[in-house]
Amino acid sequence: MTKITPQPGIMDIALYVGGKSHVDGVSNVIKLSSNENPFGPSPAAQEAVRRSALDLHRYPPTDHADLRAAIAAAHGLDADRIICGVGSDEILTLLCQAYAGPGDEVIHTEHGFAIYRIGAQSVGATPIEVPERERVTDVDAILAACTDATRLVFLANPNNPTGTMIGLAEVERLAGGLPDQALLVLDGAYAEYVDGYDGGARLVEARDNVVMTRTFSKLYGLGGMRVGWGYGPQDVVDVLNRIRGPFNLSSTALAAAEAALGDTAYVERSRSENTRLRAWLAEALAEHGVPSDASCANFILARFGSQDEAEACDTYLQSQGVIVRRVTSYKLPNALRITVGDEASCRRVAHCIGQFKAGAR
Ligand SMILES: *Cc1c(COP(=O)(O)O)cnc(C)c1O
């Protein structure tokens, strides 16, 4: 027996499984399984990536000053309190490393993002799952689950894979009711899709126990570049910067994110097309007898009558070259998560689901 063993909790981690991107034997697939921007990367970001190739022998900056300044200007924030990470996943992981360990509890909601659990287990902390109310965050249930051991509370708002969200007054009530030693992490991966919602930025500034995370992977169309950021109390940001790798973001990633932020036409078009096509898709599916909750993000959680029906529909969609996401591991076995694609993709997935409902197998 080897005496070389990993830290406690690590072997309990269920490996993260990403959205499928191909189907054996089927060509011309459309991928609607990873909530990616259907319009491809912004041309400005592509150009920045090409330009960055000339300087690849140079180390990137360690302080991300230019990108932080650009984010601060775009969102009206204090640049000193921004930290950039390799996707927002890295910020979530750093928070676990810095604030939780064996004996500590990390709360996430029933249908919350898989990374919260993985992050907690990776540092030996105990993940605590809190029930939602009909696929919506239940603030009272979270507050009731808090103990002296609670260190972190993860909440995606809007949530993935449900697409639902709670209002800022409810988020504020949650932050105000947490025990003194607990930090609220507001995951705003889909915040930009919600008109007039700041992701919780003002709440971060008003309190000392809230951190917000954001990403360039969704609305900004840079999932492959891996850039995210956090906004928090100065002392929390200082803590995270101590454990962050000094060169965590490549010069290419920094340049791409900065350019994407500046391409406001791309961002606006992505947002408005998502709003329009999300409504169209939800209605088309409802007409085929497939309901969904009102989504605030760039995907729809389509509900079927049973797990069998959801799986059969997924199998049929794959045979037609349409890849969506099964969400059984998120305790939603009757549902399929469908990213809002471009218009042709939305029409194709709705058409296929209509055929399936009409008896095609
Ligand atoms: C996609 C997503 C993220 C973003 O992850 P990145 O590491 O920034 O690509 C974070 N949280 C949730 C809930 C997501 O769905």
Side-chain angles (χ1 to χ4, degrees):
M1 267 293 265
T2 179
K3 292 189 173 162
I4 303 171
T5 56
Q7 290 291 307
I10 292 177
M11 295 312 290
D12 300 329
I13 295 174
L15 274 190
Y16 183 85
V17 181
K20 278 172 78 93
S21 56
H22 67 273
V23 186
D24 287 343
V26 182
S27 58
N28 204 4
V29 296
I30 52 173
K31 183 185 179 207
L32 303 175
S33 57
S34 296
N35 298 343
E36 294 153 345
N37 190 315
F39 302 112
S42 125
Q46 295 181 46
E47 178 54 30
V49 167
R50 275 190 292 272
R51 247 183 291 119
S52 79
L54 301 174
D55 289 317
L56 289 182
H57 59 304
R58 306 278 183 211
Y59 269 89
T62 59
D63 63 3
H64 313 141
D66 290 349
L67 179 57
R68 286 189 298 107
I71 292 170
H75 295 278
L77 307 176
D78 173 2
D80 289 339
R81 294 164 60 172
I82 294 172
I83 175 171
C84 300
V86 180
S88 48
D89 282 0
E90 186 182 29
I91 309 295
L92 302 171
T93 304
L94 292 175
L95 283 161
C96 288
Q97 279 178 34
Y99 291 102
D104 295 333
E105 294 174 353
V106 174
I107 289 179
H108 64 86
T109 60
E110 183 178 359
H111 308 299
F113 193 39
I115 298 295
Y116 310 148
R117 195 175 187 84
I118 292 174
Q121 290 174 315
S122 72
V123 297
T126 307
I128 304 288
E129 179 190 306
V130 173
E132 299 185 21
R133 214 185 288 127
E134 291 288 302
R135 299 172 301 281
V136 180
T137 297
D138 182 345
V139 167
D140 292 311
I142 297 176
L143 291 175
C146 287
T147 71
D148 291 345
T150 307
R151 300 301 308 270
L152 292 166
V153 175
F154 284 110
L155 176 64
N157 200 42
N159 190 30
N160 168 21
T162 59
T164 62
M165 73 181 294
I166 58 172
L168 266 176
E170 276 292 274
V171 178
E172 196 166 356
R173 187 165 74 83
L174 173 59
L178 292 181
D180 292 345
Q181 79 287 349
L183 186 59
L184 174 63
V185 182
L186 272 181
D187 180 340
Y190 303 96
E192 287 92 353
Y193 290 102
V194 185
D195 247 348
Y197 176 54
D198 69 359
R202 295 290 91 82
L203 197 59
V204 169
E205 289 167 352
R207 306 191 55 89
D208 62 4
N209 68 342
V210 182
V211 173
M212 168 181 81
T213 60
R214 304 283 285 262
T215 185
F216 283 91
S217 299
K218 307 285 160 54
L219 183 72
Y220 291 93
L222 290 179
M225 222 54 244
R226 313 303 304 125
V227 188
W229 51 280
Y231 189 58
Q234 193 66 60
D235 59 321
V236 172
V237 170
D238 291 345
V239 164
L240 300 185
N241 271 321
R242 285 166 197 268
I243 56 171
R244 166 175 75 76
F247 303 110
N248 60 337
L249 286 173
S250 69
S251 40
T252 305
L254 289 166
E258 213 184 312
L261 207 49
D263 192 350
T264 50
Y266 168 93
V267 169
E268 281 315 315
R269 170 168 173 259
S270 299
R271 194 189 341 253
S272 62
E273 282 294 90
N274 180 72
T275 303
R276 179 176 78 84
L277 291 166
R278 182 180 63 200
W280 183 89
L281 181 61
E283 195 175 321
L285 297 194
E287 280 171 14
H288 293 311
V290 179
S292 55
D293 299 314
S295 170
C296 301
N298 67 339
F299 55 84
I300 279 172
L301 186 70
R303 298 203 306 278
F304 293 82
S306 65
Q307 177 164 4
D308 278 356
E309 195 193 11
E311 289 180 358
C313 185
D314 181 43
T315 302
Y316 178 70
L317 288 174
Q318 286 190 40
S319 75
Q320 301 302 301
V322 177
I323 304 177
V324 301
R325 184 69 157 259
R326 286 194 193 182
V327 282
T328 306
S329 66
Y330 287 95
K331 309 207 157 177
L332 294 161
N334 299 0
L336 297 175
R337 193 193 69 192
I338 306 171
T339 303
V340 177
D342 60 11
E343 182 153 351
S345 303
C346 286
R347 287 187 184 279
R348 190 157 144 204
V349 70
H351 174 75
C352 290
I353 288 176
Q355 298 235 294
F356 170 80
K357 278 294 203 171
R361 288 291 190 278

